[in-house]
PDB file of all heavy atoms in Angstrom:
ATOM      1  N   GLU I   1       5.582  15.557   0.355  1.00  0.00           N
ATOM      2  CA  GLU I   1       5.075  15.673   1.726  1.00  0.00           C
ATOM      3  C   GLU I   1       4.388  14.399   2.198  1.00  0.00           C
ATOM      4  O   GLU I   1       3.854  14.357   3.313  1.00  0.00           O
ATOM      5  CB  GLU I   1       4.083  16.847   1.807  1.00  0.00           C
ATOM      6  CG  GLU I   1       4.639  18.182   1.352  1.00  0.00           C
ATOM      7  CD  GLU I   1       5.852  18.622   2.173  1.00  0.00           C
ATOM      8  OE1 GLU I   1       5.838  18.395   3.396  1.00  0.00           O
ATOM      9  OE2 GLU I   1       6.795  19.165   1.576  1.00  0.00           O
ATOM     10  N   ALA I   2       4.386  13.372   1.379  1.00  0.00           N
ATOM     11  CA  ALA I   2       3.663  12.145   1.716  1.00  0.00           C
ATOM     12  C   ALA I   2       4.298  11.432   2.904  1.00  0.00           C
ATOM     13  O   ALA I   2       5.483  11.593   3.203  1.00  0.00           O
ATOM     14  CB  ALA I   2       3.628  11.209   0.503  1.00  0.00           C
ATOM     15  N   THR I   3       3.503  10.621   3.569  1.00  0.00           N
ATOM     16  CA  THR I   3       3.938   9.855   4.732  1.00  0.00           C
ATOM     17  C   THR I   3       3.905   8.362   4.418  1.00  0.00           C
ATOM     18  O   THR I   3       3.443   7.938   3.348  1.00  0.00           O
ATOM     19  CB  THR I   3       3.013  10.122   5.923  1.00  0.00           C
ATOM     20  OG1 THR I   3       1.686   9.641   5.587  1.00  0.00           O
ATOM     21  CG2 THR I   3       2.942  11.614   6.245  1.00  0.00           C
ATOM     22  N   ALA I   4       4.361   7.582   5.382  1.00  0.00           N
ATOM     23  CA  ALA I   4       4.304   6.129   5.233  1.00  0.00           C
ATOM     24  C   ALA I   4       2.867   5.667   5.023  1.00  0.00           C
ATOM     25  O   ALA I   4       2.602   4.741   4.242  1.00  0.00           O
ATOM     26  CB  ALA I   4       4.905   5.465   6.470  1.00  0.00           C
ATOM     27  N   GLU I   5       1.940   6.308   5.719  1.00  0.00           N
ATOM     28  CA  GLU I   5       0.528   5.948   5.590  1.00  0.00           C
ATOM     29  C   GLU I   5       0.017   6.196   4.166  1.00  0.00           C
ATOM     30  O   GLU I   5      -0.784   5.422   3.642  1.00  0.00           O
ATOM     31  CB  GLU I   5      -0.311   6.728   6.598  1.00  0.00           C
ATOM     32  CG  GLU I   5      -0.118   6.311   8.055  1.00  0.00           C
ATOM     33  CD  GLU I   5       1.242   6.701   8.632  1.00  0.00           C
ATOM     34  OE1 GLU I   5       1.836   7.696   8.138  1.00  0.00           O
ATOM     35  OE2 GLU I   5       1.725   6.007   9.548  1.00  0.00           O
ATOM     36  N   ASP I   6       0.499   7.261   3.546  1.00  0.00           N
ATOM     37  CA  ASP I   6       0.135   7.526   2.147  1.00  0.00           C
ATOM     38  C   ASP I   6       0.672   6.429   1.232  1.00  0.00           C
ATOM     39  O   ASP I   6       0.024   6.037   0.257  1.00  0.00           O
ATOM     40  CB  ASP I   6       0.683   8.888   1.700  1.00  0.00           C
ATOM     41  CG  ASP I   6       0.073  10.044   2.455  1.00  0.00           C
ATOM     42  OD1 ASP I   6      -1.141  10.001   2.744  1.00  0.00           O
ATOM     43  OD2 ASP I   6       0.816  11.003   2.765  1.00  0.00           O
ATOM     44  N   GLY I   7       1.859   5.945   1.565  1.00  0.00           N
ATOM     45  CA  GLY I   7       2.444   4.870   0.774  1.00  0.00           C
ATOM     46  C   GLY I   7       1.646   3.588   0.872  1.00  0.00           C
ATOM     47  O   GLY I   7       1.386   2.929  -0.144  1.00  0.00           O
ATOM     48  N   THR I   8       1.235   3.204   2.078  1.00  0.00           N
ATOM     49  CA  THR I   8       0.448   1.976   2.227  1.00  0.00           C
ATOM     50  C   THR I   8      -0.919   2.130   1.571  1.00  0.00           C
ATOM     51  O   THR I   8      -1.457   1.164   1.020  1.00  0.00           O
ATOM     52  CB  THR I   8       0.297   1.584   3.706  1.00  0.00           C
ATOM     53  OG1 THR I   8      -0.240   2.687   4.445  1.00  0.00           O
ATOM     54  CG2 THR I   8       1.639   1.188   4.306  1.00  0.00           C
ATOM     55  N   ALA I   9      -1.471   3.340   1.617  1.00  0.00           N
ATOM     56  CA  ALA I   9      -2.742   3.584   0.932  1.00  0.00           C
ATOM     57  C   ALA I   9      -2.580   3.402  -0.579  1.00  0.00           C
ATOM     58  O   ALA I   9      -3.456   2.824  -1.247  1.00  0.00           O
ATOM     59  CB  ALA I   9      -3.251   4.989   1.253  1.00  0.00           C
ATOM     60  N   TRP I  10      -1.454   3.879  -1.127  1.00  0.00           N
ATOM     61  CA  TRP I  10      -1.177   3.714  -2.563  1.00  0.00           C
ATOM     62  C   TRP I  10      -1.059   2.233  -2.903  1.00  0.00           C
ATOM     63  O   TRP I  10      -1.568   1.781  -3.938  1.00  0.00           O
ATOM     64  CB  TRP I  10       0.109   4.446  -2.935  1.00  0.00           C
ATOM     65  CG  TRP I  10       0.395   4.506  -4.405  1.00  0.00           C
ATOM     66  CD1 TRP I  10       0.073   5.503  -5.278  1.00  0.00           C
ATOM     67  CD2 TRP I  10       1.079   3.506  -5.189  1.00  0.00           C
ATOM     68  NE1 TRP I  10       0.500   5.198  -6.551  1.00  0.00           N
ATOM     69  CE2 TRP I  10       1.120   3.983  -6.535  1.00  0.00           C
ATOM     70  CE3 TRP I  10       1.650   2.283  -4.903  1.00  0.00           C
ATOM     71  CZ2 TRP I  10       1.717   3.263  -7.563  1.00  0.00           C
ATOM     72  CZ3 TRP I  10       2.233   1.547  -5.935  1.00  0.00           C
ATOM     73  CH2 TRP I  10       2.270   2.040  -7.246  1.00  0.00           C
ATOM     74  N   ILE I  11      -0.407   1.482  -2.046  1.00  0.00           N
ATOM     75  CA  ILE I  11      -0.250   0.043  -2.280  1.00  0.00           C
ATOM     76  C   ILE I  11      -1.616  -0.641  -2.296  1.00  0.00           C
ATOM     77  O   ILE I  11      -1.937  -1.413  -3.202  1.00  0.00           O
ATOM     78  CB  ILE I  11       0.664  -0.591  -1.214  1.00  0.00           C
ATOM     79  CG1 ILE I  11       2.089  -0.061  -1.342  1.00  0.00           C
ATOM     80  CG2 ILE I  11       0.647  -2.125  -1.344  1.00  0.00           C
ATOM     81  CD1 ILE I  11       2.972  -0.399  -0.153  1.00  0.00           C
ATOM     82  N   ARG I  12      -2.441  -0.356  -1.286  1.00  0.00           N
ATOM     83  CA  ARG I  12      -3.763  -0.991  -1.217  1.00  0.00           C
ATOM     84  C   ARG I  12      -4.612  -0.640  -2.441  1.00  0.00           C
ATOM     85  O   ARG I  12      -5.289  -1.497  -3.019  1.00  0.00           O
ATOM     86  CB  ARG I  12      -4.488  -0.552   0.060  1.00  0.00           C
ATOM     87  CG  ARG I  12      -3.881  -1.093   1.351  1.00  0.00           C
ATOM     88  CD  ARG I  12      -4.758  -0.772   2.548  1.00  0.00           C
ATOM     89  NE  ARG I  12      -4.095  -1.079   3.799  1.00  0.00           N
ATOM     90  CZ  ARG I  12      -3.967  -2.296   4.328  1.00  0.00           C
ATOM     91  NH1 ARG I  12      -4.475  -3.336   3.679  1.00  0.00           N
ATOM     92  NH2 ARG I  12      -3.347  -2.462   5.478  1.00  0.00           N
ATOM     93  N   GLU I  13      -4.560   0.613  -2.837  1.00  0.00           N
ATOM     94  CA  GLU I  13      -5.324   1.064  -3.989  1.00  0.00           C
ATOM     95  C   GLU I  13      -4.857   0.368  -5.262  1.00  0.00           C
ATOM     96  O   GLU I  13      -5.669  -0.047  -6.103  1.00  0.00           O
ATOM     97  CB  GLU I  13      -5.183   2.585  -4.128  1.00  0.00           C
ATOM     98  CG  GLU I  13      -5.992   3.201  -5.240  1.00  0.00           C
ATOM     99  CD  GLU I  13      -5.802   4.707  -5.306  1.00  0.00           C
ATOM    100  OE1 GLU I  13      -4.831   5.145  -5.952  1.00  0.00           O
ATOM    101  OE2 GLU I  13      -6.605   5.438  -4.706  1.00  0.00           O
ATOM    102  N   THR I  14      -3.545   0.227  -5.412  1.00  0.00           N
ATOM    103  CA  THR I  14      -2.989  -0.410  -6.601  1.00  0.00           C
ATOM    104  C   THR I  14      -3.327  -1.893  -6.647  1.00  0.00           C
ATOM    105  O   THR I  14      -3.699  -2.424  -7.702  1.00  0.00           O
ATOM    106  CB  THR I  14      -1.464  -0.214  -6.648  1.00  0.00           C
ATOM    107  OG1 THR I  14      -1.176   1.192  -6.649  1.00  0.00           O
ATOM    108  CG2 THR I  14      -0.860  -0.845  -7.886  1.00  0.00           C
ATOM    109  N   VAL I  15      -3.223  -2.577  -5.517  1.00  0.00           N
ATOM    110  CA  VAL I  15      -3.561  -4.003  -5.464  1.00  0.00           C
ATOM    111  C   VAL I  15      -5.011  -4.209  -5.877  1.00  0.00           C
ATOM    112  O   VAL I  15      -5.333  -5.119  -6.657  1.00  0.00           O
ATOM    113  CB  VAL I  15      -3.300  -4.561  -4.052  1.00  0.00           C
ATOM    114  CG1 VAL I  15      -3.887  -5.960  -3.903  1.00  0.00           C
ATOM    115  CG2 VAL I  15      -1.792  -4.589  -3.757  1.00  0.00           C
ATOM    116  N   ALA I  16      -5.904  -3.345  -5.367  1.00  0.00           N
ATOM    117  CA  ALA I  16      -7.320  -3.446  -5.734  1.00  0.00           C
ATOM    118  C   ALA I  16      -7.523  -3.144  -7.221  1.00  0.00           C
ATOM    119  O   ALA I  16      -8.278  -3.832  -7.919  1.00  0.00           O
ATOM    120  CB  ALA I  16      -8.147  -2.493  -4.876  1.00  0.00           C
ATOM    121  N   MET I  17      -6.833  -2.128  -7.720  1.00  0.00           N
ATOM    122  CA  MET I  17      -6.965  -1.722  -9.114  1.00  0.00           C
ATOM    123  C   MET I  17      -6.510  -2.832 -10.058  1.00  0.00           C
ATOM    124  O   MET I  17      -7.064  -3.010 -11.143  1.00  0.00           O
ATOM    125  CB  MET I  17      -6.132  -0.456  -9.349  1.00  0.00           C
ATOM    126  CG  MET I  17      -6.277   0.171 -10.715  1.00  0.00           C
ATOM    127  SD  MET I  17      -5.257   1.657 -10.866  1.00  0.00           S
ATOM    128  CE  MET I  17      -6.006   2.704  -9.626  1.00  0.00           C
ATOM    129  N   LEU I  18      -5.506  -3.586  -9.631  1.00  0.00           N
ATOM    130  CA  LEU I  18      -4.962  -4.650 -10.472  1.00  0.00           C
ATOM    131  C   LEU I  18      -5.677  -5.987 -10.269  1.00  0.00           C
ATOM    132  O   LEU I  18      -5.293  -6.997 -10.858  1.00  0.00           O
ATOM    133  CB  LEU I  18      -3.460  -4.814 -10.215  1.00  0.00           C
ATOM    134  CG  LEU I  18      -2.521  -3.930 -11.067  1.00  0.00           C
ATOM    135  CD1 LEU I  18      -2.844  -2.462 -10.924  1.00  0.00           C
ATOM    136  CD2 LEU I  18      -1.068  -4.177 -10.697  1.00  0.00           C
ATOM    137  N   GLY I  19      -6.705  -5.984  -9.441  1.00  0.00           N
ATOM    138  CA  GLY I  19      -7.558  -7.159  -9.307  1.00  0.00           C
ATOM    139  C   GLY I  19      -6.960  -8.314  -8.538  1.00  0.00           C
ATOM    140  O   GLY I  19      -7.371  -9.463  -8.729  1.00  0.00           O
ATOM    141  N   VAL I  20      -6.018  -8.039  -7.649  1.00  0.00           N
ATOM    142  CA  VAL I  20      -5.409  -9.095  -6.835  1.00  0.00           C
ATOM    143  C   VAL I  20      -6.155  -9.183  -5.509  1.00  0.00           C
ATOM    144  O   VAL I  20      -6.279  -8.195  -4.790  1.00  0.00           O
ATOM    145  CB  VAL I  20      -3.918  -8.824  -6.589  1.00  0.00           C
ATOM    146  CG1 VAL I  20      -3.319  -9.930  -5.727  1.00  0.00           C
ATOM    147  CG2 VAL I  20      -3.181  -8.742  -7.921  1.00  0.00           C
ATOM    148  N   GLY I  21      -6.658 -10.358  -5.181  1.00  0.00           N
ATOM    149  CA  GLY I  21      -7.448 -10.535  -3.971  1.00  0.00           C
ATOM    150  C   GLY I  21      -6.609 -10.821  -2.744  1.00  0.00           C
ATOM    151  O   GLY I  21      -5.372 -10.831  -2.784  1.00  0.00           O
ATOM    152  N   GLY I  22      -7.298 -11.063  -1.634  1.00  0.00           N
ATOM    153  CA  GLY I  22      -6.632 -11.388  -0.379  1.00  0.00           C
ATOM    154  C   GLY I  22      -6.177 -12.834  -0.333  1.00  0.00           C
ATOM    155  O   GLY I  22      -6.363 -13.604  -1.288  1.00  0.00           O
ATOM    156  N   LEU I  23      -5.602 -13.220   0.789  1.00  0.00           N
ATOM    157  CA  LEU I  23      -5.047 -14.564   0.918  1.00  0.00           C
ATOM    158  C   LEU I  23      -6.113 -15.647   0.844  1.00  0.00           C
ATOM    159  O   LEU I  23      -5.849 -16.753   0.362  1.00  0.00           O
ATOM    160  CB  LEU I  23      -4.269 -14.681   2.232  1.00  0.00           C
ATOM    161  CG  LEU I  23      -3.001 -13.831   2.338  1.00  0.00           C
ATOM    162  CD1 LEU I  23      -2.380 -13.997   3.724  1.00  0.00           C
ATOM    163  CD2 LEU I  23      -1.990 -14.211   1.258  1.00  0.00           C
ATOM    164  N   ALA I  24      -7.316 -15.347   1.310  1.00  0.00           N
ATOM    165  CA  ALA I  24      -8.389 -16.349   1.240  1.00  0.00           C
ATOM    166  C   ALA I  24      -8.709 -16.682  -0.210  1.00  0.00           C
ATOM    167  O   ALA I  24      -8.934 -17.851  -0.566  1.00  0.00           O
ATOM    168  CB  ALA I  24      -9.626 -15.841   1.958  1.00  0.00           C
ATOM    169  N   SER I  25      -8.700 -15.670  -1.075  1.00  0.00           N
ATOM    170  CA  SER I  25      -8.975 -15.907  -2.489  1.00  0.00           C
ATOM    171  C   SER I  25      -7.857 -16.700  -3.153  1.00  0.00           C
ATOM    172  O   SER I  25      -8.045 -17.294  -4.218  1.00  0.00           O
ATOM    173  CB  SER I  25      -9.174 -14.580  -3.226  1.00  0.00           C
ATOM    174  OG  SER I  25      -7.948 -13.881  -3.352  1.00  0.00           O
ATOM    175  N   LEU I  26      -6.682 -16.708  -2.511  1.00  0.00           N
ATOM    176  CA  LEU I  26      -5.535 -17.457  -3.040  1.00  0.00           C
ATOM    177  C   LEU I  26      -5.455 -18.864  -2.457  1.00  0.00           C
ATOM    178  O   LEU I  26      -4.542 -19.620  -2.783  1.00  0.00           O
ATOM    179  CB  LEU I  26      -4.238 -16.697  -2.744  1.00  0.00           C
ATOM    180  CG  LEU I  26      -4.134 -15.299  -3.358  1.00  0.00           C
ATOM    181  CD1 LEU I  26      -2.841 -14.620  -2.909  1.00  0.00           C
ATOM    182  CD2 LEU I  26      -4.199 -15.353  -4.874  1.00  0.00           C
ATOM    183  N   GLY I  27      -6.410 -19.201  -1.561  1.00  0.00           N
ATOM    184  CA  GLY I  27      -6.480 -20.562  -1.053  1.00  0.00           C
ATOM    185  C   GLY I  27      -6.050 -20.760   0.389  1.00  0.00           C
ATOM    186  O   GLY I  27      -6.066 -21.890   0.887  1.00  0.00           O
ATOM    187  N   LEU I  28      -5.660 -19.675   1.077  1.00  0.00           N
ATOM    188  CA  LEU I  28      -5.252 -19.840   2.473  1.00  0.00           C
ATOM    189  C   LEU I  28      -6.482 -19.844   3.370  1.00  0.00           C
ATOM    190  O   LEU I  28      -7.319 -18.941   3.305  1.00  0.00           O
ATOM    191  CB  LEU I  28      -4.302 -18.722   2.899  1.00  0.00           C
ATOM    192  CG  LEU I  28      -3.678 -18.898   4.292  1.00  0.00           C
ATOM    193  CD1 LEU I  28      -2.715 -20.082   4.304  1.00  0.00           C
ATOM    194  CD2 LEU I  28      -2.941 -17.629   4.745  1.00  0.00           C
ATOM    195  N   THR I  29      -6.589 -20.846   4.220  1.00  0.00           N
ATOM    196  CA  THR I  29      -7.709 -20.961   5.153  1.00  0.00           C
ATOM    197  C   THR I  29      -7.255 -20.638   6.566  1.00  0.00           C
ATOM    198  O   THR I  29      -6.061 -20.667   6.876  1.00  0.00           O
ATOM    199  CB  THR I  29      -8.288 -22.388   5.128  1.00  0.00           C
ATOM    200  OG1 THR I  29      -7.258 -23.311   5.562  1.00  0.00           O
ATOM    201  CG2 THR I  29      -8.732 -22.769   3.723  1.00  0.00           C
ATOM    202  N   GLU I  30      -8.211 -20.350   7.417  1.00  0.00           N
ATOM    203  CA  GLU I  30      -7.887 -20.062   8.818  1.00  0.00           C
ATOM    204  C   GLU I  30      -7.199 -21.246   9.481  1.00  0.00           C
ATOM    205  O   GLU I  30      -6.351 -21.066  10.359  1.00  0.00           O
ATOM    206  CB  GLU I  30      -9.164 -19.683   9.580  1.00  0.00           C
ATOM    207  CG  GLU I  30      -9.740 -18.329   9.175  1.00  0.00           C
ATOM    208  CD  GLU I  30     -10.862 -17.872  10.088  1.00  0.00           C
ATOM    209  OE1 GLU I  30     -11.103 -18.547  11.117  1.00  0.00           O
ATOM    210  OE2 GLU I  30     -11.495 -16.850   9.783  1.00  0.00           O
TER     211      GLU I  30
END
């Protein structure tokens, strides 16, 4: 019964769980 929103939530949760940061932490600046 999951939706697309549930899928993106799973992705965000997994990225956080695996310790991968955002683009700024990877060196991208504004």
Side-chain angles (χ1 to χ4, degrees):
E1 304 300 321
T3 64
E5 290 70 27
D6 296 322
T8 54
W10 188 94
I11 294 167
R12 291 188 190 282
E13 183 180 85
T14 301
V15 169
M17 186 180 297
L18 272 56
V20 179
L23 294 177
S25 71
L26 299 176
L28 187 68
T29 62
E30 290 189 7

